[in-house]
Amino acid sequence: MIFYSNRKFKMWGYIASHSSLLLRSEMKYSDEDDYSEDNSYNIDFEFWAVNYMNIPTSLCEITIKEISKDKLLMEIDEDLLKYDMKIFELESMGRKYYIIAGGLLIGKNAWGSQDRIFDYNLNLMHDEIIFQST
């Protein structure tokens, strides 16, 4: 397992020209209901060189794993795995979803109202890197 969170994540943006996908769990502010230290920051999942994705626009209670191609569903074309692509399995509420991409970075940040998606290739600066694939 790469990562687990009980927070809600949303598809924050996809940049087709750079094949970059950003999923984000938004931070809460101290004057909001359910505010705690555990949700006082954003968590970003940045995928790059995305070849395939079958995910809903929001996911709750998420687990991310990198899986091998022998565990890939038969209906997903293996040609999508060329050029050392990685298969990420996202499980949410008992359902599994897949993203085939060149890599993944998971980072924490406390950016306020700035959504920071409209960078040319995401390449976001984070307060802490939780995980980065090689």
Side-chain angles (χ1 to χ4, degrees):
M1 180 175 69
I2 293 173
F3 186 79
Y4 167 80
S5 175
N6 62 357
R7 292 173 60 167
K8 181 178 182 177
F9 288 80
K10 294 178 184 177
M11 186 180 297
W12 207 258
Y14 178 74
I15 301 174
S17 62
H18 289 85
S19 301
S20 299
L21 171 66
L22 176 63
L23 304 178
R24 174 171 288 165
S25 178
E26 287 181 88
M27 65 186 258
K28 292 204 176 235
Y29 295 92
S30 58
D31 60 346
E32 290 183 90
D33 290 341
D34 299 327
Y35 171 82
S36 74
E37 194 65 32
D38 291 337
N39 60 20
S40 64
Y41 51 85
N42 298 312
I43 300 175
D44 288 344
F45 301 153
E46 295 180 40
F47 295 90
W48 61 86
V50 176
N51 265 356
Y52 175 89
M53 62 178 154
N54 76 333
I55 59 171
T57 57
S58 64
L59 299 157
C60 294
E61 196 170 331
I62 190 169
T63 300
I64 299 179
K65 299 179 197 175
E66 184 176 343
I67 63 169
S68 59
K69 95 174 174 180
D70 60 314
K71 294 183 180 176
L72 188 63
L73 298 176
M74 291 183 65
E75 65 264 15
I76 298 175
D77 186 355
E78 282 193 35
D79 283 345
L80 296 169
L81 299 173
K82 290 180 183 177
Y83 313 112
D84 297 321
M85 290 292 172
K86 296 169 177 38
I87 307 164
F88 298 98
E89 180 182 83
L90 289 71
E91 188 169 346
S92 173
M93 309 303 285
R95 299 201 60 183
K96 294 182 180 179
Y97 306 97
Y98 298 91
I99 296 174
I100 298 175
L104 165 65
L105 181 140
I106 302 173
K108 286 183 181 180
N109 62 68
W111 300 320
S113 60
Q114 231 176 333
D115 76 359
R116 306 273 302 197
I117 182 62
F118 296 107
D119 206 339
Y120 286 105
N121 58 357
L122 292 183
N123 235 0
L124 303 172
M125 301 299 295
H126 293 284
D127 301 330
E128 178 186 344
I129 303 296
I130 299 169
F131 171 84
Q132 184 168 6
S133 59
T134 55

